[in-house]
Amino acid sequence: MIMNNRKTFKILHYALLVILTAFFLFPVLWVVLSSFKPQSELFQIPIKILPQQWTFENYIEAMSRGDFVRYFSNSLFVAVTATIITVLISIMAGYGFSKYFFIGRDFLFMVMLATLMIPLQVIMVPIFLQLKASGLLNTLWGIIIPPSATPTGIFLARQYMATLPNSMIEAARIDGAGESRIFFHIILPLSKPIIATITIFSFMWRWNDYLWPLIVILDDKKQTIQQALANFVGQLQINWSQLLAMTTVAILPVIIIFLVFQKYFMTGISSGAVKG
Amino acid sequence: MKRFMLSVIVLVLVLGLFVPSIAQEDVTLRVLWFNDANESDVFLDTIQPYLDENPHIKIDMQVVAFSDYEQKLKVMLTGDMAPDLARVTNNQIPVFLSELEPIAPYIEDIKDVESAFMAASLAFAKNENDEIIAYPTEATANGMIVNKTAFEKAGVDVAEVSKTWTWEEWEEIIKKVIAVEGNPTYGLALDFTPHRFSTLLFEFGGRMMNDDYTAVNFSNEKTVETITWFKRMHDEKIVPESVWLGSENPAELFQAGVVACHIGGSWNINVYAKNIKDFEWMVVVPPKGEIVSSVPGGKFVASFKGSKNKEEAQKLMAWFSEDGPNAKYCCDTFNLSSRIDSSVEYPSNTSDFAAFSEALKATPVYVANEWKNPVLSQISPVIKEQIVLALMGDISPADAAAAIDQKGAEMMK
């Protein structure tokens, strides 16, 4: 009886998971399939999921509308470089906030978290002036450097590192290890899950970032992929076919990054979420 | 020989002295642009002969998505980084009015410009001192696009009847059209914007402002009548509720064959010509109400008071606005020209463009003058909201008009 109940529960459990997966996957699948439809098929009623006439025309035309190879390279450079810097800063700051005791530590942590409350739109003009004064305007480094220290990344790292036993660090100190040796040889290898989590988040933020590059970049050649995608939406017309085609291409890197780091991802997230 | 050598040396020295002053310094014009389709590419292609003639001029163009264009331009102006040339819409001109550079000081005779463009387009391009501060490039017009096949199935020659039809006649015909099996379910879709709604409003003899444009005035008999008519069309299922009371795009409904007529803009020609394969369509002059009216709009090129190379930018804009380049630009972007004397020859859909032009020419000047007022753009969300409330039956059309007037009065204070 108990075995039967367990079996039924398992079947229901999997059925629910399959339904939820299909529910979340459907919009992505629809985007991908629609990118292979001619524009005239997009608005057909009744709606058909599969293209009646498969075409690569949308991809070819979209690629000819701009230097998409360059936009992808720009986005890739920005996302990878910014992620490396963000991970380094987050891990170091998280370690400092969780394992070092100094006056005003918690206050500083709260101040840092409070910066999450300021929307970018509010500080757009001062940021523009700052970037202009510092010579970062219209450079890819202007997109990378200023938002590198993310409060969310530091928060996640701090929460995770608080779970690492202090006794381990103290033992290393007694054994004569220096602070940098402790950080690089003990803390860093133990922080793989949170590094993977911040890597996924940071890559996704930077890859999908639109507003910051919009302020910083003044030259078409330095555009990121998100800026180029937005250009398909005009005042009076939207080129849905080409937008869908390039969106399909643009989501690939994020999926790849997630697949590479996913085995650490859940551990990192859950550790950061419940311990503190 | 000696004399010859001496002459050569003197010539070289003289040239050496003069050449730096003859060669013009390179000027890079920073251009800010937004696209609906291929306008940035066509602009660059159109100005290529000018660049060939003036090799010292280089173009550094940035294309920004329309949704963030205004924001970007504001940030650039605040940061003292004004572009040398920017594409702007008629709605954006009032926003940047004080920043735009008048064109008169850079051309021989301003009357040449005044006489070259349609009055409705020029009305948008003037500042409070009546100075022209932008060159009109392409014009947009609102009009009626019909599913010709659906009318044919109902035995109606829409090309013929539309020459003289009134709104009463249209209503009678459209009921016949949607009654035919297999035909569109609905008669008319109207874009969910006050700008497109105003096409109906002006046709019905309504006004949105008073005669001297100093106050919002929706509470007039004809405007209230228009809202009442529009509500009746919704109640009788001639107009689908999914557009004004939902979020459906009427252009997509028209392309899907769900509605028989679409009151939209001239830019739809481009989209429909590419996408509609299942039925024939055409642009007709809208039915006559009190008057026949379109609503003009358009795009412009302008330079700014803070632009670093405004003199060269003004020269380029003046050249770009001449008939030849303007006709090429409008032809390749599939747009109406703002020029009166335009020699544009479209590769197809000539009669559709002509129908829009005809409606535009019949449009009274007060239509542009009303839409030129920034208050109307600012209260657009209120206009939409109040009309929606009236369509839902929550308030009467007269109350909706009164609420719009009240908000307008607050904003004009």
Side-chain angles (χ1 to χ4, degrees):
Chain A
M1 185 68 184
I2 293 169
M3 280 298 279
N4 272 347
N5 277 349
R6 271 190 191 161
K7 217 172 183 178
T8 317
F9 178 76
K10 211 170 182 180
I11 291 167
L12 283 174
H13 182 76
Y14 276 104
L16 186 72
L17 284 178
V18 168
I19 292 167
L20 281 176
T21 309
F23 182 75
F24 286 106
L25 264 184
F26 179 72
V28 182
L29 202 66
W30 186 86
V31 166
V32 175
L33 289 172
S34 297
S35 71
F36 294 103
K37 287 179 186 174
Q39 182 123 341
S40 53
E41 253 186 60
L42 273 182
F43 305 117
Q44 265 183 1
I45 291 177
I47 296 166
K48 290 191 174 65
I49 306 295
L50 284 173
Q52 289 164 287
Q53 187 195 327
W54 290 79
T55 178
F56 283 96
E57 205 58 33
N58 301 328
Y59 288 86
I60 297 163
E61 276 182 24
M63 291 296 279
S64 70
R65 257 189 77 169
D67 194 348
F68 274 88
V69 175
R70 186 191 287 268
Y71 307 147
F72 267 100
S73 321
N74 290 344
S75 276
L76 209 59
F77 176 72
V78 168
V80 171
T81 318
T83 299
I84 293 169
I85 299 172
T86 300
V87 168
L88 261 177
I89 291 175
S90 301
I91 296 294
M92 285 176 159
Y95 179 56
F97 276 124
S98 61
K99 296 298 176 198
Y100 286 92
F101 297 94
F102 52 91
I103 298 164
R105 184 188 71 166
D106 292 342
F107 175 73
L108 265 180
F109 187 64
M110 295 310 286
V111 168
M112 186 213 62
L113 282 184
T115 59
L116 280 171
M117 310 290 175
I118 306 167
L120 180 57
Q121 285 85 346
V122 175
I123 49 171
M124 225 181 211
V125 173
I127 283 175
F128 185 85
L129 296 173
Q130 282 275 328
L131 289 169
K132 195 181 158 195
S134 56
L136 285 172
L137 197 66
N138 204 21
T139 65
L140 292 180
W141 289 105
I143 311 176
I144 296 167
I145 295 170
S148 290
T150 61
T152 314
I154 296 170
F155 173 75
L156 285 174
R158 186 232 186 222
Q159 297 304 90
Y160 178 83
M161 285 173 179
T163 65
L164 300 177
N166 290 339
S167 53
M168 198 169 51
I169 299 166
E170 282 155 16
R173 280 188 190 131
I174 291 165
D175 288 345
E179 291 304 311
S180 52
R181 193 180 168 86
I182 293 171
F183 178 74
F184 285 107
H185 288 93
I186 298 172
I187 300 297
L188 222 52
L190 288 171
S191 304
K192 273 184 195 162
I194 200 64
I195 290 174
T197 306
I198 300 172
T199 302
I200 291 173
F201 275 139
S202 173
F203 189 87
M204 216 166 65
W205 292 328
R206 298 292 153 247
W207 185 264
N208 291 334
D209 197 6
Y210 172 68
L211 205 53
W212 196 280
L214 179 79
I215 309 169
V216 178
I217 300 301
L218 302 171
D219 182 352
D220 261 6
K221 293 184 192 79
K222 290 170 189 154
Q223 278 196 135
T224 60
I225 187 68
Q226 301 303 334
Q227 287 176 282
L229 283 181
N231 286 342
F232 287 113
V233 182
Q235 181 202 9
L236 306 166
Q237 294 172 36
I238 301 172
N239 197 324
W240 286 111
S241 305
Q242 293 179 16
L243 181 61
L244 290 169
M246 285 300 106
T247 303
T248 303
V249 180
I251 56 179
L252 288 178
V254 179
I255 293 174
I256 291 167
I257 287 285
F258 183 79
L259 291 177
V260 171
F261 289 102
Q262 68 166 336
K263 76 171 180 180
Y264 298 109
F265 184 66
M266 293 320 293
T267 324
I269 278 285
S270 53
S271 308
V274 294
K275 308 276 174 66
Chain B
M1 186 64 187
K2 258 185 184 175
R3 188 175 289 173
F4 174 74
M5 286 302 288
L6 199 65
S7 310
V8 170
I9 290 165
V10 169
L11 189 70
V12 168
L13 282 173
V14 167
L15 276 177
L17 280 173
F18 279 94
V19 163
S21 60
I22 292 167
Q24 285 176 286
E25 229 176 89
D26 277 1
V27 175
T28 302
L29 295 180
R30 286 180 41 240
V31 176
L32 195 68
W33 205 267
F34 66 86
N35 274 336
D36 268 312
N38 57 345
E39 293 85 351
S40 60
D41 290 341
V42 176
F43 172 74
L44 291 175
D45 188 35
T46 306
I47 63 168
Q48 195 51 52
Y50 181 86
L51 297 179
D52 293 341
E53 275 174 38
N54 299 276
H56 65 292
I57 302 290
K58 313 277 180 242
I59 300 291
D60 181 2
M61 177 184 265
Q62 189 186 11
V63 180
V64 174
F66 180 78
S67 55
D68 302 291
Y69 190 78
E70 216 171 286
Q71 185 77 48
K72 172 89 179 179
L73 197 46
K74 279 179 187 165
V75 171
M76 287 174 84
L77 292 172
T78 314
D80 196 22
M81 296 279 285
D84 297 310
L85 189 158
R87 185 186 196 212
V88 284
T89 68
N90 56 298
N91 289 332
Q92 288 165 341
I93 287 179
V95 179
F96 300 107
L97 205 59
S98 59
E99 308 274 358
L100 296 171
E101 176 77 354
I103 67 170
Y106 302 92
I107 52 173
E108 276 179 23
D109 193 352
I110 192 72
K111 282 179 187 151
D112 291 344
V113 177
E114 279 177 346
S115 59
F117 294 96
M118 286 190 275
S121 298
L122 272 182
F124 290 120
K126 287 182 178 177
N127 65 13
E128 64 277 17
N129 301 323
D130 219 28
E131 294 169 309
I132 300 176
I133 34 77
Y135 282 95
T137 51
E138 67 263 52
T140 58
N142 296 350
M144 186 179 268
I145 308 165
V146 298
N147 181 329
K148 197 179 164 197
T149 309
F151 279 81
E152 274 167 8
K153 277 189 193 167
V156 179
D157 181 355
V158 69
E160 196 52 42
V161 294
S162 64
K163 284 178 184 165
T164 54
W165 62 3
T166 61
W167 279 104
E168 288 79 26
E169 287 163 352
W170 173 86
E171 196 180 323
E172 210 175 293
I173 292 168
I174 208 67
K175 281 178 181 167
K176 264 194 228 166
V177 171
I178 57 176
V180 175
E181 192 158 338
N183 255 1
T185 319
Y186 299 98
L188 174 73
L190 178 75
D191 292 1
F192 186 27
T193 71
H195 188 267
R196 247 72 84 215
F197 178 78
S198 70
T199 319
L200 274 181
L201 186 150
F202 291 122
E203 282 250 325
F204 278 62
R207 295 286 296 267
M208 299 188 290
M209 302 199 80
N210 63 0
D211 285 341
D212 54 3
Y213 314 109
T214 53
V216 176
N217 180 27
F218 268 67
S219 296
N220 62 76
E221 191 195 331
K222 296 293 179 188
T223 298
V224 174
E225 201 179 287
T226 316
I227 303 174
T228 310
W229 182 87
F230 196 43
K231 176 170 167 39
R232 186 168 64 79
M233 288 297 110
H234 277 82
D235 294 343
E236 292 183 18
K237 309 284 180 211
I238 292 174
V239 172
E241 286 184 340
S242 59
V243 178
W244 276 72
L245 302 179
S247 59
E248 261 187 307
N249 182 338
E252 289 164 14
L253 290 180
F254 185 80
Q255 290 174 72
V258 177
V259 291
C261 304
H262 175 205
I263 289 191
S266 48
W267 55 90
N268 286 301
I269 295 179
N270 194 8
V271 182
Y272 291 175
K274 272 187 211 153
N275 296 349
I276 298 178
K277 313 278 182 210
D278 301 337
F279 59 87
E280 274 189 77
W281 60 274
M282 67 180 293
V283 180
V284 294
V285 174
K288 193 169 185 266
E290 291 282 316
I291 56 166
V292 170
S293 178
S294 176
V295 180
K299 312 291 189 315
F300 303 77
V301 283
S303 189
F304 297 85
K305 286 174 182 161
S307 302
K308 293 196 170 55
N309 301 302
K310 55 190 167 197
E311 198 162 337
E312 289 295 351
Q314 290 282 350
K315 280 186 202 165
L316 172 60
M317 290 193 302
W319 181 89
F320 179 62
S321 303
E322 286 170 12
D323 180 39
N326 178 270
K328 176 183 162 42
Y329 175 79
C330 290
C331 176
D332 293 355
T333 56
F334 233 42
N335 275 307
L336 290 170
S337 170
S338 298
R339 287 189 68 98
I340 294 170
D341 61 347
S342 180
S343 58
V344 57
E345 282 177 27
Y346 301 99
S348 64
N349 302 84
T350 313
S351 59
D352 298 317
F353 281 107
F356 270 116
S357 287
E358 208 177 305
L360 202 57
K361 280 172 194 161
T363 303
V365 179
Y366 64 73
V367 174
N369 282 334
E370 288 198 1
W371 271 114
K372 191 186 157 185
N373 197 307
V375 172
L376 269 192
S377 301
Q378 285 164 23
I379 63 162
S380 275
V382 181
I383 300 174
K384 271 165 91 165
E385 176 194 278
Q386 293 301 318
I387 294 174
V388 166
L389 288 175
L391 293 179
M392 290 195 301
D394 290 356
I395 56 173
S396 71
D399 288 344
I404 296 166
D405 287 352
Q406 193 189 340
K407 190 71 188 171
E410 282 168 22
M411 283 195 159
M412 288 192 101
K413 263 182 199 169

